[in-house]
Amino acid sequence: MTACVTEDAAAPDTRQHGAALTIAADGSYAARLARHASTGSWYPERWTLAGPEPYAVPLPGHQPEEADTGLLPLTDGRVLIRRRAADRCTLGLLYPTGPGTGELPLGAVEAAELTLLPAAPCGSRAYALAPGEHSTVLWLVHDGRQSTVPHRARSVPACVAEIEGRCTGGVWLDRTGRLLALDQELAGRTKTVAVDLERGGEVSPLLQITEESNDRLLLADPDSGLLVLRSDAAGHDRLGWGVLGSALPVRFPECLRLPDAALRPFAVQSGQALAPESSAVAFRVDAAAGTWLGVWRPAERRLRQLPPPRGWLAGTGLWTRDGELRLPFETPAVPCGVARLPAQATGAQARDAAPLVLSADAGRRAEPPVALRSPGDLSPAGFPVRAARWVRIPSTPSGMPVRTQPPPAPSTPSSQTEPVTQEPFGAAAHPSPCRPVPLQQAPLAVREAR
């Protein structure tokens, strides 16, 4: 980016941005649209990231692709492709076949716009959103099953749910691919809702800080429950964090406010269930001076700003279990490369390391929260406010989302600690993470944790 954007003047960016490189759910493969150096035409390219050295395999079709063609790599090595064709979108699976490219047709969806969502945690199922005039249809475009008939798909796109309003985003809240978070725009306001795919697409509120604010979920770590979100509840756009299943408020760290720069999270480290504050989040930082890397952990009161590798495909990367951050890059000398930043450089912790426990005085520097709603608001019965630690919240069939508070004044940094515990949803044999308390019912004026 070359424009200078200040945080107070910047509006939330709700447009769909095509990633420079899309990474599979388990980090084994990636895919992107590459350009021929001579003709300038677009073609799909698959990157293999598993193994000692990454390498790229071109997957050109019979004709050049459009610049808005969607790609989604699966964990079996195939790449799902979405093309526009008049008033519909066609789908297929690409795979290398010796010198050529094989393609398995998956059918078509009668929609002018179809946006591929991140692959389900299993790495084989794929979903897409088709927004309409008054609602958005969630499609299952590939169920991951293998066909017994060669060169034919076993399944075709199927409608999973129709959701009121215009939905964007797409963040998975568990490791089973059951709970999907979507940003729902209704009456000019955007809130995040949770869609239960095992209950026929049942929708429940997930993120609502105030009735007037626009609240969007950006990233989630199903293991630790860490949520990274964006809200304008304070009158301007702010980045914050919370914990899925927690009854304590969302925090808005002052260190995530950079003058004349825009932050966009793109990868969250998988952490421990009881230590969400130890998980690291990687940010793309865009400013007039260029683009660089930011790394932040809730347990730290600072944003580490690091120079990116030359040729970094900005906004893409993944964390390893050991806390290593891997950033794909491309240069004339290295057309397919991955730079590795060790945990010592980013401040991340290995997942098996002992969780960091902050002292009781760590969060006392923040000022009292500003009351954005009536002080008469009460918490739901059975969900007491405890200022000293995260509260255990059992899940219910109807679903429940995160208690929040308004962002603090910009003069003082926020406190960012306290772990959370999680409970399974339903039978112990099929665990899913619990959902937080409905935010619109949560009191905003909660005392700072001590």
Side-chain angles (χ1 to χ4, degrees), residues 131-173:
E133 185 177 357
H134 303 291
S135 63
T136 300
V137 178
L138 175 64
W139 289 87
L140 174 63
V141 295
H142 179 52
D143 62 7
R145 296 183 297 172
Q146 299 288 339
S147 174
T148 57
V149 180
H151 310 298
R152 292 187 61 183
R154 183 169 180 175
S155 63
V156 295
C159 176
V160 175
E162 185 172 1
I163 306 165
E164 186 181 8
R166 181 179 179 87
C167 295
T168 55
V171 177
W172 293 100
L173 301 177

Side-chain angles (χ1 to χ4, degrees), residues 221 223 266-272 278-282 293-297 300 304 306 317-327 338-354:
D221 173 33
D223 295 329
F266 63 88
V268 58
Q269 179 191 11
S270 179
Q272 299 177 359
S278 298
S279 297
V281 181
L293 176 68
V295 177
W296 165 82
R297 287 191 301 152
E300 292 186 337
R304 297 171 182 257
L306 306 170
L318 70 154
W319 293 93
T320 68
R321 187 182 183 92
D322 297 330
E324 181 182 75
L325 179 59
R326 298 182 177 180
L327 303 175
V338 175
R340 303 184 177 186
L341 291 179
Q344 295 83 355
T346 61
Q349 288 185 325
R351 183 175 178 180
D352 298 332

Side-chain angles (χ1 to χ4, degrees), residues 43-301:
Y43 65 94
E45 184 179 72
R46 189 194 71 183
W47 288 30
T48 300
L49 304 180
E53 294 293 338
Y55 63 92
V57 176
L59 297 173
H62 300 294
Q63 60 185 16
E65 305 292 346
E66 299 293 333
D68 62 351
T69 298
L71 298 176
L72 183 65
L74 305 178
T75 55
D76 61 6
R78 296 182 294 181
V79 176
L80 191 148
I81 185 169
R82 187 269 303 147
R83 301 182 179 98
R84 300 183 191 274
D87 57 349
R88 64 175 187 164
C89 295
T90 62
L91 299 144
L93 289 175
L94 305 179
Y95 53 93
T97 56
T101 302
E103 180 169 350
L104 179 65
L106 294 178
V109 174
E110 297 293 334
E113 181 180 351
L114 186 69
T115 303
L116 295 177
L117 296 178
C122 65
S124 58
R125 293 197 308 273
Y127 295 83
L129 293 176
E133 185 177 357
H134 303 291
S135 63
T136 300
V137 178
L138 175 64
W139 289 87
L140 174 63
V141 295
H142 179 52
D143 62 7
R145 296 183 297 172
Q146 299 288 339
S147 174
T148 57
V149 180
H151 310 298
R152 292 187 61 183
R154 183 169 180 175
S155 63
V156 295
C159 176
V160 175
E162 185 172 1
I163 306 165
E164 186 181 8
R166 181 179 179 87
C167 295
T168 55
V171 177
W172 293 100
L173 301 177
D174 65 340
R175 291 294 181 192
T176 64
R178 172 176 181 171
L179 299 178
L180 174 66
L182 296 174
D183 296 331
Q184 180 188 49
E185 182 182 352
L186 281 174
R189 300 293 178 188
T190 300
K191 308 293 181 183
T192 301
V193 297
V195 181
D196 193 330
L197 302 182
E198 291 188 7
R199 291 181 178 269
E202 178 183 273
V203 178
S204 59
L206 179 70
L207 185 62
Q208 177 173 302
I209 298 180
T210 70
E211 293 182 358
E212 296 78 19
S213 61
N214 294 289
D215 312 308
R216 297 175 175 86
L217 182 63
L218 305 180
L219 285 178
D221 173 33
D223 295 329
S224 66
L226 177 66
L227 306 177
V228 182
L229 56 100
R230 186 183 295 275
S231 174
D232 61 0
H236 53 269
D237 209 26
R238 292 288 301 267
L239 285 169
W241 72 281
V243 180
L244 188 68
S246 167
L248 282 190
V250 165
R251 311 297 178 87
F252 292 86
E254 187 66 21
C255 63
L256 295 184
R257 299 183 67 195
L258 296 184
D260 300 331
L263 275 70
R264 183 178 301 166
F266 63 88
V268 58
Q269 179 191 11
S270 179
Q272 299 177 359
L274 301 181
E277 73 282 354
S278 298
S279 297
V281 181
F283 290 86
R284 168 179 173 169
V285 184
D286 292 302
T291 299
W292 60 92
L293 176 68
V295 177
W296 165 82
R297 287 191 301 152
E300 292 186 337
R301 306 179 68 90

Side-chain angles (χ1 to χ4, degrees), residues 417-428:
T417 58
E418 301 96 25
V420 67
T421 60
Q422 298 185 13
E423 293 184 357
F425 182 99

